[in-house]
Amino acid sequence: MPPLSKSLAELAARVAELEAEREMTLRLAQTDSLTGLVNRGAFTSGLCERLEAAREQGGVVALFVIDLDRFKSLNDSLGHHAGDLLLAEIGRRLRDDAAPDELVARLGGDEFAVVSGDPDITRRAERLVNAISQHHLIYGRTIASGGSVGVAAFPRDASDATDLQRYADMALYRAKSCGGRRWHGFDAELHAESERRRTLESELRRAIPAGEIEPWFQPIVDTMTGRFVGVEVLARWRHPDKGLLSPAAFVPMAEELGLIRTIDEAVFESACAHAAPWVREGLIELVSCNVSPRDLLDPGFSRKLIGRLADTDLPATALTVEITETFLLQDMNLARRHIERLASRGVNVALDDFGTGYSNLRALMHLPIQTVKLDRSLIDDVGRDPRVSKLVASMLHAARSLGVRITAEGVEDEGQALFLRSAGCDRMQGFFFARPMPADQMDAMLREAAAPPSPRFAVAG
C-alpha cells in the first residue's frame, strides 16, 4: 500500500476508534452503573424529547414514577449489598416489561421512572405494580418488597416536563400514603392541592420580608415553685387572608424551598428583641429556640448564630439552642463542634425530642449539653400507664445522674404534672400552664406572674 494511502487508512482507523470511545463515554455518562438503565440526566433529556414529539404529532406521554416500599428496612436488615441486588433485579424486570419505544430510568436510590406512549394508562400502571411486587430471592431469603406508582400524563395533566414530574411525584406520594403496593394517578383533587401549594409558596416568599412570620412564646415553668423561668420561641404566620397559621402549615415547604434559614433568622432576631427586657428585668432566665436540622448541617452555623446573637441585647447565657437527637446520629463530629463552640460562649444547648426511639446517653456523657427535653409523646400516658411511667422515671433518673436538667413538653393535665414533679423533672411546659401566645400577651402574663402574692402554678405536696 502506498505511504499516503497507508497514512489515510491509519488516520481513518484512529478517527473510528476515537468516535467509538466518545460514544462509549457518552453512553456511560447516561447510564446508571447498578441497573444499566438510563440515569436521571438522560431521563430528563429523553422526557423532553418525547414531549416535543407528542406536541408535534398529537400523542400522549405518560410518566410513571416508581418507589419501592420499605426499601430502607431491607437495607437495614440485610445490608446495602442486598439492597443493590434488589435494585438491579427491579431494573431488569422493568426493562424486560417495557415496550421498545418506552424509556426506563433509575432516578436515584430506590426511585425509578417509565415514560410511555401507551394510551391505556390504567393497564400500564397495573402491570408496573405487578412487575415490582413479585417475590425476589436474595441470600436465600424470599423478599416481597412491593412498590408504589404515581402517574401523570401529557397533555391531560401537564404541558411541560417540570409539571409532569411534579404531578407524578404528588400521585406517588398519595399512593404511598394509602399503604403502598398500588398506583395512583394525578386527579382533580391533587390538582387543587397543587394550586393551593403554588399559591402558598408565592405567599410565603412574600410573607418573610413583609414580617408576617412572627415569634410566639410558650412559658417554661419550674416544677417545684411553679415560677415562670423561661420561654420557648415558636413561629407563627399571621396570614392576611387565612389568619394565624401554625408551623406545620409552612415549615415543611420552607425547608423544601430553602427558605427556612431566612425564617429562622427573622424569628430569632424578633424574639431576642422581645425577650431581652424580660431577662434584664428578671422575669425569666432563659429563651429557648429550635434550630432546623438543615441549619445544623451547615459547618458555619454556630459561628453565624454567635454573630447574630452579638447584634441583640440578649445575653448569651440566657439563650438555649434546641437540637434534635436525629442530628447527632447524622453527624456527631459536626454536632460536637457546634455544641462546644456554643458552650464556650455561654450558650446553653438542649437535646430536643429526647426518648423518641433513640436516647443518646453517650452524647450527654461526652458533650456539654445542659438540658434534655422529654418528648410530648412520652408524657401523654405518664401517671396512667405503669410501663410508660416506669420508662419516663428511669430516663429522668439517667439524665439526672449525669447532671443534666430535664424539661417535659406537652404537659396537659394536673396528673401529668404531679407525676413529673414526684419523679424529679426540673421544668415543664404545655397547655396545662399556657398555650403559645404573641409577645404582648406573654409580656402581660410574665408581669402578672411576677407580681405578688402567689406564683402562677403550684402543685400541692
Side-chain angles (χ1 to χ4, degrees):
M1 178 182 294
L4 180 59
S5 298
K6 183 178 180 181
S7 297
L8 289 174
E10 290 174 348
L11 179 60
R14 181 55 180 159
V15 168
E17 183 181 334
L18 291 173
E19 182 64 23
E21 290 177 357
R22 189 190 72 81
E23 291 179 0
M24 175 64 74
T25 301
L26 181 61
R27 186 162 58 251
L28 290 173
Q30 297 176 335
T31 302
D32 173 61
S33 59
L34 180 62
T35 63
L37 303 177
V38 299
N39 59 22
R40 180 179 287 274
F43 157 77
T44 302
S45 300
L47 176 61
C48 291
E49 291 171 1
R50 282 165 169 75
L51 289 176
E52 189 60 37
R55 288 190 189 94
E56 296 176 357
Q57 302 166 14
V60 172
V61 176
L63 170 59
F64 301 85
V65 180
I66 303 155
D67 190 84
L68 302 186
D69 297 331
R70 299 179 298 280
F71 180 73
K72 184 179 184 302
S73 175
L74 173 70
N75 258 353
D76 292 343
S77 60
L78 296 183
H80 291 286
H81 184 255
D84 287 347
L85 292 176
L86 175 59
L87 293 173
E89 174 63 15
I90 292 293
R92 183 191 66 77
R93 291 187 181 186
L94 292 176
R95 183 172 53 246
D96 292 347
D97 183 66
D101 61 340
E102 291 184 335
L103 178 67
V104 184
R106 181 188 175 208
L107 303 182
D110 61 331
E111 188 176 5
F112 297 81
V114 174
V115 181
S116 174
D118 190 338
D120 192 343
I121 292 175
T122 297
R123 182 185 64 85
R124 188 69 186 95
E126 290 174 348
R127 216 171 77 210
L128 282 171
V129 172
N130 182 64
I132 59 180
S133 298
Q134 300 300 312
H135 290 177
H136 313 270
L137 191 65
I138 297 178
Y139 295 164
R141 293 180 56 177
T142 299
I143 305 298
S145 62
S148 304
V149 178
V151 57
F154 167 91
R156 182 191 67 191
D157 302 321
S159 59
D160 59 48
T162 300
D163 281 347
L164 195 65
Q165 292 178 73
R166 186 158 61 91
Y167 294 163
D169 282 339
M170 290 179 68
L172 171 65
Y173 180 80
R174 180 62 57 85
K176 293 188 79 69
S177 67
C178 290
R181 285 181 174 266
R182 68 191 67 202
W183 71 278
H184 200 288
F186 187 75
D187 55 20
E189 182 181 344
L190 288 176
H191 184 268
E193 180 181 322
S194 173
E195 289 304 306
R196 287 194 298 269
R197 178 182 172 82
R198 196 190 300 266
T199 300
L200 191 65
E201 176 182 333
S202 175
E203 292 174 340
L204 181 59
R205 292 185 184 278
R206 174 196 53 76
I208 300 172
E212 294 175 7
I213 300 179
E214 59 188 47
W216 277 40
F217 303 88
Q218 185 174 39
I220 301 170
V221 174
D222 181 274
T223 303
M224 298 305 297
T225 67
R227 185 175 67 89
F228 290 146
V229 292
V231 292
E232 179 178 354
V233 179
L234 305 163
R236 294 293 186 270
W237 181 1
R238 198 176 290 280
H239 194 284
D241 300 319
K242 298 182 177 69
L244 196 67
L245 300 181
S246 70
F250 63 91
V251 166
M253 177 180 289
E255 290 179 336
E256 182 180 328
L257 297 174
L259 299 174
I260 192 64
R261 182 172 300 171
T262 305
I263 290 175
D264 284 348
E265 291 174 357
V267 170
F268 176 80
E269 180 180 340
S270 180
C272 288
H274 287 297
W278 302 337
V279 173
R280 186 170 56 249
E281 297 174 38
L283 299 176
I284 58 172
E285 301 168 10
L286 67 97
V287 179
S288 189
C289 295
N290 293 281
V291 181
S292 163
R294 179 172 294 188
D295 281 351
L296 289 168
L297 291 172
D298 175 7
F301 157 74
S302 51
R303 191 174 288 109
K304 294 173 185 175
L305 179 64
I306 291 168
R308 292 201 305 273
L309 181 62
D311 293 332
T312 75
D313 293 328
L314 187 73
T317 52
L319 177 64
T320 294
V321 173
E322 297 186 17
I323 65 173
T324 61
E325 287 189 295
T326 52
F327 171 60
L328 297 181
L329 292 175
Q330 284 181 280
D331 195 330
M332 177 65 86
N333 290 330
L334 181 58
R336 178 184 297 277
R337 289 199 296 274
H338 284 328
I339 293 170
E340 290 180 347
R341 185 179 292 133
L342 291 169
S344 70
R345 298 302 181 95
V347 176
N348 298 294
V349 176
L351 191 58
D352 199 11
D353 301 335
F354 191 73
T356 53
Y358 184 86
S359 299
N360 202 325
L361 295 177
R362 177 171 171 268
L364 299 182
M365 292 172 61
H366 299 290
L367 295 176
I369 294 174
Q370 294 83 13
T371 303
V372 295
K373 301 195 73 174
L374 289 181
D375 189 74
R376 65 184 66 246
S377 64
L378 289 171
I379 305 304
D380 287 344
D381 293 321
V382 294
R384 289 190 290 267
D385 186 327
R387 294 175 303 173
V388 176
S389 299
K390 186 176 295 186
L391 173 63
V392 170
S394 65
M395 294 174 68
L396 290 169
H397 176 74
R400 193 166 53 251
S401 68
L402 295 173
V404 178
R405 181 180 290 116
I406 304 128
T407 299
E409 298 181 292
V411 180
E412 297 190 355
D413 59 52
E414 188 175 17
Q416 294 169 344
L418 285 167
F419 172 84
L420 289 165
R421 192 179 85 156
S422 65
C425 184
D426 299 291
R427 293 169 176 174
M428 294 182 280
Q429 64 183 97
F431 291 174
F432 179 58
F433 308 104
R435 292 176 178 269
M437 63 191 75
D440 56 345
Q441 292 182 24
M442 189 74 258
D443 182 83
M445 179 175 282
L446 290 175
R447 296 186 186 283
E448 179 186 354
S454 60
R456 186 71 182 176
F457 163 71
V459 176

